[in-house]
Amino acid sequence: MAPRIGVVVFPGSNCEHDVVSALDQAGARAELVWHGATDLSGFDGVVVPGGFAHGDYLRPGAIARFSPVMAAVGELARSGRPVLGICNGFQVLTEAGLLPGALQKNRGLRFICDTVEVEVVSSRSVLTRDVAPGTVLRLPINHFEGNYTCDDETLTRLVAEDRVVLRYVDNPNGSTGDIAGVCNEAGNVVGLMPHPERATEELLGSADGLPVLTSFVAASAASAAVTA
Amino acid sequence: MGSSETFSVLVEVRLRPGIADPQGATIERALPALGFDGVRAVRSGKAFRLEVEADSAEAAAARAGELAHRLLANPVIEESTVTVLG
């Protein structure tokens, strides 16, 4: 059965409908979940989409991490079910401490709206479990604060534990280690700056987002089977 | 319990040493063009003014420090200092 995936909506989110549409295309039953929700136990996976949650006031994700839904997202993550943060959603997950590091202003202080190449580094995450390492994907990026930052110790650990999920082929924003996406220790929580949901049709310039979203949907279905 | 007073508190948030600060670096590069030579190590940050009810200046500082750590700063890349102004 198609897994039920929640797509969190904060005031200021703006990619939620694209994510729902892309997840449905990838075989899920996706639905919007307001950030005031406190129970996500009926969901097999959850996506925190892009946008400007709570206006990005203070720092991207700084206010959103205290939204009621985030406790439920944390619970879902701890239960081993797949959690994905895209762009602003990645920023929210780092602020919430579900992923290591932080996203800083881009090197060069420019908002970047472009299509870039990213390489799949690890198949250990729910986003890439069905995609071979070395695969290069063309995905859109659209951010001002996408400069992944962590200390040397964290970087060494991420590399040693195979938790760098995606790397930029040509680093556009100054990210440490060219990192475009990382996962937690268990591999079920993933964050990335590029927007796979905007790359699901060749007509729109790229369909390279589909394999990773399909992988995420398959992982959600697998987690549903385990829980059932 | 002593009687509660209101203290004016300044919280400054800045990037930890060693964390790249593209905003500070850009400001620093702009300064010579304006005639401000000999200015170095520009680091950007944020400042917050708060009014905190507490029994003492120490208690106000402790409370502001706690909220700075939980919300105003991201401890992964930032640090904060608290000054009780009065």
Side-chain angles (χ1 to χ4, degrees):
Chain A
M1 195 159 139
R4 186 171 174 230
I5 299 181
V7 179
V8 177
V9 185
F10 297 97
S13 296
N14 63 16
C15 300
E16 67 272 24
H17 293 285
D18 290 17
V19 171
V20 166
S21 165
L23 288 173
D24 285 348
Q25 194 183 338
R29 287 179 299 140
E31 56 189 88
L32 301 177
V33 180
W34 183 238
H35 76 116
T38 51
D39 183 10
L40 294 176
S41 56
F43 290 94
D44 306 315
V46 69
V47 178
V48 185
F52 301 85
H54 297 277
D56 273 1
Y57 293 150
L58 190 59
R59 296 178 306 277
I63 311 287
R65 66 167 285 215
F66 294 109
S67 273
V69 75
M70 288 310 295
V73 170
E75 228 167 87
L76 198 94
R78 280 186 292 280
S79 78
R81 275 170 285 180
V83 175
L84 172 63
I86 302 171
C87 197
N88 192 225
F90 185 13
Q91 295 163 337
V92 173
L93 295 183
T94 58
E95 283 281 341
L98 292 172
L99 289 172
L103 282 311
Q104 257 207 293
K105 291 182 181 66
N106 296 340
R107 176 186 60 197
L109 293 176
R110 293 181 71 123
F111 189 99
I112 306 173
C113 180
D114 202 357
T115 299
V116 299
E117 291 189 331
V118 292
E119 183 190 343
V120 175
V121 182
S122 165
S123 288
R124 216 181 140 234
S125 83
V126 287
L127 190 68
T128 50
R129 56 174 231 165
D130 300 329
V131 186
T135 305
V136 172
L137 308 171
R138 287 185 68 245
L139 296 175
I141 56 169
N142 197 238
H143 59 242
F144 183 56
E145 271 126 337
N147 180 348
Y148 185 80
T149 304
C150 63
D151 56 30
D152 292 342
E153 196 185 317
T154 307
L155 179 64
T156 308
R157 216 174 131 207
L158 288 175
V159 172
E161 295 175 357
D162 198 23
R163 288 166 56 190
V164 177
V165 176
L166 297 168
R167 257 190 226 285
Y168 297 108
V169 172
D170 185 11
N171 191 339
N173 55 22
S175 288
T176 302
D178 302 328
I179 289 174
V182 294
C183 67
N184 66 346
E185 275 176 44
N188 69 312
V189 180
V190 190
L192 79 167
M193 287 313 294
H195 287 272
E197 81 280 10
R198 295 186 192 171
T200 59
E201 306 275 0
E202 283 299 343
L203 192 64
L204 298 176
S206 169
D208 287 358
L210 268 183
V212 287
L213 291 175
T214 306
S215 176
F216 181 78
V217 170
S220 301
S223 92
V226 170
T227 336
Chain B
M1 285 291 286
S3 59
S4 172
E5 283 180 73
T6 301
F7 294 91
S8 177
V9 177
L10 171 68
V11 178
E12 289 168 275
V13 174
R14 63 192 167 282
L15 291 163
R16 289 185 178 281
I19 300 283
D21 176 12
Q23 202 159 247
T26 303
I27 294 166
E28 188 170 330
R29 279 198 305 275
L31 290 172
L34 302 173
F36 294 103
D37 292 318
V39 181
R40 310 224 190 292
V42 176
R43 299 286 283 174
S44 69
K46 293 177 188 143
F48 301 87
R49 297 285 290 264
L50 317 168
E51 288 190 355
V52 180
E53 280 180 28
D55 292 337
S56 65
E58 291 72 29
R63 232 165 125 63
E66 194 189 331
L67 75 86
H69 188 75
R70 280 201 66 199
L71 178 63
L72 299 182
N74 176 353
V76 175
I77 51 170
E78 293 173 325
E79 56 188 18
S80 56
T81 48
V82 171
T83 312
V84 178
L85 303 172

